[in-house]
Amino acid sequence: GGADDYFGAVIAADGKIEPRDEMPEAYRKSLIRQIAQHAHSEIIGMQPEGNWISRAPSLKRKAILLAKVQDEAGHGLYLYAAAETLGVDRADLYEMLLDGRQKYSSIFNYPTLTWADVGAIGWLVDGAAIVNQVPLCRCSYGPYARAMIRVCKEESFHQRQGYEILHVLANGSPEQKAMAQDAIDRWWYPSLAMFGPPDTDSTHSAQSMAWKIKRFSNDELRQKFVDMTVQQAEVLGLSLPDPDLRLGEDGHWAYTQPDYDELFTVIKGDGPCNRQRIEHRRAAWEDGAWVREAATAYAKKREGATV
Amino acid sequence: GGADDYFGAVIAADGKIEPRDEMPEAYRKSLIRQIAQHAHSEIIGMQPEGNWISRAPSLKRKAILLAKVQDEAGHGLYLYAAAETLGVDRADLYEMLLDGRQKYSSIFNYPTLTWADVGAIGWLVDGAAIVNQVPLCRCSYGPYARAMIRVCKEESFHQRQGYEILHVLANGSPEQKAMAQDAIDRWWYPSLAMFGPPDTDSTHSAQSMAWKIKRFSNDELRQKFVDMTVQQAEVLGLSLPDPDLRLGEDGHWAYTQPDYDELFTVIKGDGPCNRQRIEHRRAAWEDGAWVREAATAYAKKREGATV
Amino acid sequence: MTTVDELLALGDDALIAAQRLAEWTTRAPELEEDVALANIALDLLGQARMLLSYAADLERAGLEGAGRDEDALAYLRGEREFRNAQLTELPRGDFADALVRMLFFAAYQRELYAELAAGPDERLAAIAGKASKEVAYHVDHAIMWTLRLGDGTDESHRRAQAAVDRLWPYTFELFEDRPHLREAWLAAVEPVLAEATLDRPEDGRFRPTGGRKGVHTEHMGYLLAEMQSLHRAHPGASW
Amino acid sequence: MTTVDELLALGDDALIAAQRLAEWTTRAPELEEDVALANIALDLLGQARMLLSYAADLERAGLEGAGRDEDALAYLRGEREFRNAQLTELPRGDFADALVRMLFFAAYQRELYAELAAGPDERLAAIAGKASKEVAYHVDHAIMWTLRLGDGTDESHRRAQAAVDRLWPYTFELFEDRPHLREAWLAAVEPVLAEATLDRPEDGRFRPTGGRKGVHTEHMGYLLAEMQSLHRAHPGASW
């Protein structure tokens, strides 16, 4: 039909699809799934770092961390708004998160055990997120692409802050340096796993590439992240926990793939913190029900009063 | 009547009234009030010290403190049992505590701000309690007198432990010594107030003396406590916060009376922690309702099964 | 001249209020409120840092050799050395507690900072001037929610009234050093309570006090234990 | 020969379980239970002290100069150095959580101590022998309450089942070093659950682990912050 023709032409011309444009149902559904998962990840991702706000070791670090976690809530808000342009409701997406019908990034199912984990999340996890997300700034769906531009800008700021935390620790007391190395040892493979299964096993990639939602394969992005990170680790004077890392003749670093069995265990809900993360969010949502009801009731009374 | 004659004769002969003996209703009521207040004091008194169990500074101190607070629960149990011999029910007494119809010792309405407060409570508060309670071991009501013998034995153990805490602090770092002095400065006058208003203002004393429930006046007991404590403070190398303390020719220490206006403010419910103490107890009671109901339901089922 | 102790009272109020408010992060009833509460906590933390840094500079000026900085003041003082009012240290409570506390505290800070901004101490006046703009937003935010909760549902009204009743006694301590500010505070707070259909409690005899002399509630020790734990576990470290 | 790390695992289990259980003091549903829970916490604390002292002695024997004592081990290690199983550090929860956790943990300790009491390490055998008598009482107490809660009211059954479901996955970690003990443990626990009309959960894929290598839940840091706060605030002090 004409709609499909228009959609196809825009995609072919690297243009933007906007909310009122007609689009294939599968494209719409695929985008909703992806944007919602992305939004959920921002919201759930507040927890592992939020765990250290009350204990941040200096007032400056406390302020930076609080601002970062606040930014994540903000990112969640933009992204839910982008999803809503596709005809869904934030409350429904929220419900799908809470009952497990929609996912969030599995990286947030690991615990933050020390302050250095806050640095490692900033450096590695935000670093991996940026590599994943920069291409999304050119994604074919306009509202998502625009949200990603803003998100990426703030994320790279967060990544630098994480790097700086580790840099200070790496140059601090022996205990601090050990703390930094320990955090990297624990977060390295989960960060690699953020790019998803190897290309040979990836289920959604081909269609997403054709629709210009996705622009690089999982393994391409993962390689980019490894190359970038190896260099930064050297500057930090900390090591990555992969004895087989070596620079190939093609200028890329060869690396050991993460344990995808473990990844699937976490994705299926059995990681260390899956239950805790959802339970925490559910408790916040349920404990706040009376507040949301009060706001609605108050707004109705005002409407009544002004009529 | 004959009953009153018997009662009067026993009292005159310094004998013991037992639960099945007839006794004047006013004697019974007065005893219930006093024993219940005493039991409530043990239970509420668990809170200020319980506040430091999780933070006790060594494992040995943690064990001693936990055992002490457990003893207080035990004292509460004996004393409620003694009150129950007078025909009241523990649950009813509990309710009267929670709704404010019965009191507990006002000393427990002050907060424990530092570890040294645990020492000061042991030394001063338990010390004052012992001075108050030793004569009660000879009280005319048998079950109360016997409960007090056991309580007093453990209390004097607790007092030594409190003294030892302060002794270690007084001989520790300058910060520790200051912490000990600060605690004594805050607990001294409230401890003096534990003996009640001056004899000139005391309402229940005369009748209690006649019934041989009480054997010394408030001011006699207070003086005894001051004389004992001044000497111990000297050994500790810590000072009592009363510039007018001086040894009189009669061998007793002259002292400044506590601020009874403040005492009455606390008695009437407006001390620093009155609301918190009752709220804490109420929460424990209400949160435990389903547990008590389960135990009752289970016991009924067993009864049914054995019939 | 402003004293170190006065600056500590101001800075500790802001610091402890920020610490409590930040506990809401990831726990707010809606995402917008997560953002708003974190934002207000950040404002308070910023005020605390400026005030404690000033206190540290002033303290250093009176000492030989090296003194303390904002982190030494925040992380290495014991409970008895903190000068905040008890209102700021009370447990997080429910959302009504959080917003009613914000109303009471921000309305106080508004009067306080307005006075300090016009005062003779230039450094303090500059801090207060900057903070005044932030606090105006805090007051607005708290008013909005007090109205919604007080005049929302039966449940929210009940909770809001309970929060007002619970917290009111702790407001007296705020005005101990500056009793003349209470009138303007009452003029701001009372109409909000009235519009929110909430009863303004009577001024009873229960007026907790002591924070300015380091006498706190039993909640304070736990707050500090958590806040200071990492810093104290690594004496002398930089972060 | 027993290693320091093995002793730390044993001692930390007892210490952290005692710390959590002691949180119930002044909060139990009835006075008798306040006494009982404090008593059990005291037993566990006593075990922890003997085990950590042994660990300290063993550690000192391998070192030049002064080593650590039980307090240095309890108060001056960081979270990553604690070797307790995660089951012991989970938050206090409700009374069903407390008693079901006690059932699972005490039944494990009973098998463990019986084995150690008959083992070749004499000092450890003596500690385990003494602890065995205590733990037998803990098991009895937990069984009594599991029956009452499971077969009490609908509400108590619901809570007890929720506690069983929540805690079961954490029991696998207890047997990582001694898998052969699980059979006897199951033989003790399963009939209790059955009599209490509680479903024995399936052995799922969620089997939290890491405690023995110092990988804990996010709850552990807060427990340690509180427990160690006073000790760390006064470096080198005696108490």
Side-chain angles (χ1 to χ4, degrees):
Chain A
D4 267 11
D5 284 353
Y6 173 76
F7 175 81
V10 172
I11 296 292
D14 255 349
K16 292 282 181 262
I17 303 296
E18 294 299 331
R20 292 174 171 232
D21 297 341
E22 291 195 43
M23 59 190 91
E25 189 56 18
Y27 175 85
R28 202 181 66 87
K29 283 204 167 147
S30 178
L31 267 173
I32 289 173
R33 188 183 53 78
Q34 180 171 339
I35 301 174
Q37 174 163 338
H38 194 161
H40 298 331
S41 299
E42 295 285 353
I43 301 314
I44 297 291
M46 294 167 69
Q47 289 181 45
E49 291 172 284
N51 185 37
W52 285 91
I53 292 172
S54 69
R55 296 175 288 171
S58 74
L59 295 184
K60 181 181 151 198
R61 292 285 169 210
K62 189 191 288 283
I64 291 171
L65 180 57
L66 184 53
K68 178 184 175 183
V69 176
Q70 184 196 32
D71 282 347
E72 287 163 358
H75 296 173
L77 282 171
Y78 317 150
L79 287 161
Y80 283 123
E84 285 185 324
T85 64
L86 291 159
V88 287
D89 195 70
R90 195 213 297 184
D92 294 333
L93 297 178
Y94 226 75
E95 211 170 274
M96 287 195 271
L97 165 66
L98 293 182
D99 68 16
R101 278 178 291 157
Q102 288 185 344
K103 302 282 181 206
Y104 57 89
S105 175
S106 278
I107 191 75
F108 301 120
N109 290 319
Y110 294 91
T112 48
L113 304 182
T114 72
W115 170 251
D117 289 28
V118 174
I121 288 180
W123 180 44
L124 295 175
V125 175
D126 290 349
I130 292 166
V131 170
N132 258 331
Q133 290 166 11
V134 163
L136 290 173
C137 298
R138 295 189 291 128
C139 144
S140 61
Y141 187 61
Y144 190 27
R146 289 188 290 274
M148 290 318 301
I149 290 170
R150 190 163 165 189
V151 167
C152 281
K153 210 188 228 167
E154 296 183 356
E155 295 272 21
S156 65
F157 196 58
H158 296 163
Q159 202 216 358
R160 274 204 302 280
Q161 292 167 342
Y163 182 84
E164 193 190 309
I165 286 175
L166 292 177
H167 193 266
V168 170
L169 294 176
N171 292 283
S173 68
E175 289 78 17
Q176 287 178 302
K177 186 163 184 180
M179 188 193 282
Q181 184 61 57
D182 170 58
I184 292 173
D185 291 348
R186 284 180 289 106
W187 289 94
W188 171 248
Y189 284 109
S191 300
L192 285 190
M194 285 175 70
F195 296 93
D199 292 348
T200 44
D201 300 345
S202 184
T203 45
H204 298 294
S205 286
Q207 181 62 73
S208 289
M209 300 275 252
W211 280 332
K212 296 188 179 165
I213 296 175
K214 201 173 159 90
R215 289 176 180 268
F216 298 98
S217 78
N218 292 353
D219 284 331
E220 283 168 342
L221 293 167
R222 186 161 19 235
Q223 183 66 58
K224 196 169 174 185
F225 173 70
V226 171
D227 292 344
M228 187 178 91
T229 306
V230 169
Q231 293 182 318
Q232 294 173 352
E234 276 171 22
V235 181
L236 283 176
L238 296 169
S239 64
L240 299 172
D242 180 353
D244 295 330
L245 269 178
R246 52 184 52 91
L247 190 59
E249 291 182 359
D250 59 355
H252 292 300
W253 287 83
Y255 62 91
T256 305
Q257 287 278 352
D259 177 350
Y260 290 108
D261 282 350
E262 190 202 314
L263 175 64
F264 283 113
T265 300
V266 180
I267 287 176
K268 283 181 185 153
D270 294 311
C273 297
N274 299 59
R275 283 158 179 75
Q276 178 186 336
R277 300 291 182 235
I278 289 294
E279 199 37 62
H280 183 100
R281 197 90 294 262
R282 189 198 312 281
W285 186 244
E286 288 173 3
D287 291 350
W290 69 272
V291 177
R292 296 189 301 276
E293 284 157 17
T296 307
Y298 179 80
K300 277 214 182 112
K301 287 185 198 176
R302 294 301 102 173
E303 272 172 33
T306 47
V307 167
Chain B
D4 267 14
D5 284 353
Y6 174 76
F7 176 81
V10 172
I11 295 290
D14 255 348
K16 292 283 180 259
I17 303 295
E18 294 299 331
R20 292 176 172 231
D21 296 341
E22 291 195 44
M23 60 189 92
E25 187 58 18
Y27 176 83
R28 203 180 66 86
K29 282 204 168 147
S30 178
L31 267 173
I32 290 174
R33 187 183 54 77
Q34 181 171 338
I35 301 175
Q37 174 164 336
H38 195 160
H40 298 330
S41 298
E42 295 285 353
I43 301 313
I44 296 291
M46 295 167 68
Q47 289 181 44
E49 290 172 283
N51 185 36
W52 284 92
I53 293 171
S54 69
R55 295 174 288 171
S58 73
L59 296 184
K60 181 181 153 200
R61 292 285 170 211
K62 189 190 288 283
I64 291 172
L65 180 58
L66 184 52
K68 178 183 176 183
V69 176
Q70 185 197 30
D71 281 347
E72 287 163 357
H75 296 175
L77 282 171
Y78 318 149
L79 287 161
Y80 283 124
E84 286 186 325
T85 64
L86 291 159
V88 287
D89 194 71
R90 194 213 297 185
D92 295 332
L93 297 178
Y94 227 74
E95 210 170 275
M96 287 195 270
L97 166 64
L98 294 182
D99 68 17
R101 278 178 292 157
Q102 287 185 344
K103 303 281 182 208
Y104 56 90
S105 175
S106 278
I107 191 75
F108 301 120
N109 290 318
Y110 295 90
T112 49
L113 304 182
T114 72
W115 170 251
D117 289 28
V118 174
I121 287 180
W123 180 45
L124 296 175
V125 176
D126 290 349
I130 291 166
V131 170
N132 258 331
Q133 290 166 10
V134 163
L136 290 174
C137 299
R138 296 189 291 127
C139 145
S140 60
Y141 187 61
Y144 190 28
R146 290 188 288 274
M148 289 319 301
I149 290 170
R150 191 161 165 190
V151 167
C152 281
K153 208 187 229 171
E154 296 184 356
E155 295 271 22
S156 65
F157 197 58
H158 297 163
Q159 201 216 359
R160 274 205 301 280
Q161 291 167 343
Y163 182 84
E164 192 190 309
I165 287 175
L166 291 176
H167 192 266
V168 171
L169 294 177
N171 292 284
S173 69
E175 289 79 16
Q176 288 179 301
K177 185 163 186 181
M179 189 192 282
Q181 184 61 58
D182 169 58
I184 292 174
D185 291 348
R186 284 181 287 106
W187 289 94
W188 171 249
Y189 283 109
S191 300
L192 286 190
M194 285 175 70
F195 296 93
D199 292 346
T200 45
D201 300 347
S202 185
T203 45
H204 298 292
S205 287
Q207 181 62 71
S208 290
M209 300 275 252
W211 279 332
K212 297 191 179 165
I213 296 174
K214 204 173 157 91
R215 290 178 180 266
F216 298 97
S217 78
N218 293 352
D219 283 332
E220 283 168 343
L221 294 167
R222 187 163 16 238
Q223 184 66 58
K224 195 169 176 187
F225 172 70
V226 171
D227 292 343
M228 185 179 91
T229 306
V230 169
Q231 294 181 318
Q232 295 173 350
E234 275 171 23
V235 181
L236 283 176
L238 296 169
S239 63
L240 298 173
D242 180 354
D244 295 332
L245 270 178
R246 54 183 51 90
L247 191 59
E249 292 182 359
D250 58 356
H252 294 298
W253 287 83
Y255 59 93
T256 306
Q257 288 277 351
D259 177 350
Y260 291 107
D261 282 351
E262 190 202 314
L263 175 63
F264 283 112
T265 300
V266 180
I267 288 176
K268 284 183 185 150
D270 294 311
C273 297
N274 300 59
R275 283 158 178 76
Q276 179 186 334
R277 300 291 182 237
I278 289 293
E279 198 38 62
H280 184 101
R281 198 90 295 261
R282 190 198 311 282
W285 187 245
E286 289 173 2
D287 291 351
W290 68 272
V291 177
R292 296 189 301 275
E293 284 158 18
T296 307
Y298 179 80
K300 277 213 182 113
K301 286 185 199 177
R302 293 302 101 174
E303 273 172 33
T306 47
V307 166
Chain C
M1 217 8 233
T2 318
T3 67
V4 171
D5 240 38
E6 284 164 0
L7 290 168
L8 289 178
L10 298 169
D12 289 346
D13 272 359
L15 176 63
I16 303 303
Q19 180 77 3
R20 275 291 181 228
L21 199 57
E23 290 179 16
W24 277 95
T25 309
T26 76
R27 294 188 177 91
E30 54 188 33
L31 215 42
E32 286 80 356
E33 209 47 31
D34 250 315
V35 174
L37 296 183
N39 208 32
I40 294 170
L42 272 168
D43 287 343
L44 291 167
L45 185 54
Q47 295 167 19
R49 295 183 63 194
M50 290 187 290
L51 291 160
L52 293 180
S53 291
Y54 186 13
D57 289 345
L58 212 58
E59 186 185 65
R60 238 190 324 261
L63 288 176
E64 304 286 321
R68 301 189 280 189
D69 61 6
E70 60 171 31
D71 284 334
L73 289 175
Y75 290 98
L76 299 175
R77 278 184 298 157
E79 175 175 340
R80 297 283 283 112
E81 297 166 276
F82 273 81
R83 295 284 172 263
N84 56 291
Q86 295 182 1
L87 178 69
T88 61
E89 75 205 31
L90 295 176
R92 179 170 40 137
D94 69 8
F95 190 73
D97 284 297
L99 272 292
V100 169
R101 171 153 55 176
M102 189 187 296
L103 175 69
F104 290 169
F105 183 63
Y108 154 72
Q109 279 197 316
R110 183 170 61 181
E111 301 309 320
L112 171 73
Y113 285 145
E115 181 168 287
L116 296 175
D121 180 330
E122 285 182 21
R123 182 166 169 183
L124 184 55
I127 296 170
K130 179 177 183 307
S132 283
K133 296 182 195 97
E134 298 165 352
V135 166
Y137 163 71
H138 307 174
V139 172
D140 287 348
H141 194 75
I143 290 176
M144 177 183 80
W145 274 109
T146 304
L147 297 177
R148 285 175 172 177
L149 299 182
D151 195 18
T153 64
D154 288 349
E155 164 83 351
S156 71
H157 178 84
R158 185 185 63 70
R159 287 177 182 258
Q161 186 67 56
V164 167
D165 293 344
R166 192 157 41 232
L167 298 172
W168 188 265
Y170 290 89
T171 61
F172 294 98
E173 190 183 15
L174 299 173
F175 302 100
E176 280 173 3
D177 295 337
R178 294 180 180 80
H180 58 284
L181 295 182
R182 188 161 189 255
E183 199 179 329
W185 181 83
L186 284 172
V189 164
E190 285 176 342
V192 175
L193 296 182
E195 193 185 337
T197 72
L198 295 166
D199 292 333
R200 184 260 206 231
E202 297 205 3
D203 293 343
R205 286 183 316 168
F206 177 52
R207 300 181 179 195
T209 180
R212 303 302 185 205
K213 285 179 297 215
V215 173
H216 295 281
T217 66
E218 288 177 359
H219 311 292
M220 183 70 173
Y222 296 93
L223 181 150
L224 292 181
E226 185 175 318
M227 185 175 92
Q228 299 179 336
S229 57
L230 175 59
H231 189 96
R232 285 196 189 263
H234 296 267
S238 298
W239 301 97
Chain D
M1 214 13 229
T2 318
T3 66
V4 172
D5 240 38
E6 283 163 0
L7 290 168
L8 289 178
L10 297 170
D12 289 347
D13 272 359
L15 176 63
I16 303 302
Q19 179 77 3
R20 275 290 182 231
L21 199 57
E23 289 179 18
W24 277 95
T25 309
T26 75
R27 293 188 177 90
E30 54 187 34
L31 215 40
E32 286 80 356
E33 209 46 33
D34 251 315
V35 173
L37 296 183
N39 208 31
I40 294 171
L42 272 168
D43 287 343
L44 291 167
L45 185 53
Q47 296 167 18
R49 294 184 63 194
M50 290 187 289
L51 291 161
L52 293 180
S53 291
Y54 187 11
D57 290 345
L58 211 59
E59 186 184 66
R60 238 189 325 259
L63 287 176
E64 303 287 322
R68 302 188 279 189
D69 62 6
E70 61 171 29
D71 284 333
L73 289 176
Y75 290 98
L76 298 175
R77 279 183 298 157
E79 176 176 340
R80 297 283 283 111
E81 296 166 277
F82 273 82
R83 295 283 171 265
N84 57 291
Q86 294 182 2
L87 178 68
T88 61
E89 76 204 32
L90 295 177
R92 178 169 40 130
D94 68 9
F95 190 73
D97 284 297
L99 272 292
V100 169
R101 171 153 55 177
M102 189 187 296
L103 175 69
F104 291 169
F105 183 63
Y108 153 73
Q109 280 196 317
R110 182 170 61 180
E111 302 308 322
L112 171 72
Y113 286 145
E115 181 168 287
L116 295 175
D121 180 329
E122 285 182 22
R123 180 166 172 185
L124 184 55
I127 296 171
K130 179 178 184 309
S132 283
K133 296 182 195 97
E134 298 165 352
V135 165
Y137 163 71
H138 306 175
V139 172
D140 287 347
H141 194 76
I143 289 176
M144 176 184 80
W145 275 109
T146 304
L147 297 178
R148 284 176 173 178
L149 299 182
D151 195 17
T153 64
D154 289 350
E155 164 82 351
S156 72
H157 178 84
R158 187 185 61 70
R159 286 177 181 258
Q161 186 67 58
V164 168
D165 294 344
R166 192 157 42 233
L167 298 173
W168 188 265
Y170 290 90
T171 61
F172 294 98
E173 190 183 14
L174 299 173
F175 302 100
E176 281 174 2
D177 296 336
R178 294 180 180 80
H180 58 284
L181 295 182
R182 189 162 189 255
E183 200 179 328
W185 181 83
L186 283 172
V189 164
E190 284 176 343
V192 176
L193 296 182
E195 193 185 338
T197 74
L198 294 166
D199 292 332
R200 182 260 207 230
E202 297 205 4
D203 294 342
R205 287 182 316 169
F206 178 52
R207 299 181 178 194
T209 181
R212 303 302 184 203
K213 286 179 298 215
V215 173
H216 294 282
T217 66
E218 288 177 0
H219 311 292
M220 181 70 172
Y222 296 93
L223 180 151
L224 292 181
E226 186 175 318
M227 184 175 92
Q228 299 179 336
S229 57
L230 175 59
H231 188 97
R232 285 195 190 265
H234 296 267
S238 298
W239 301 96

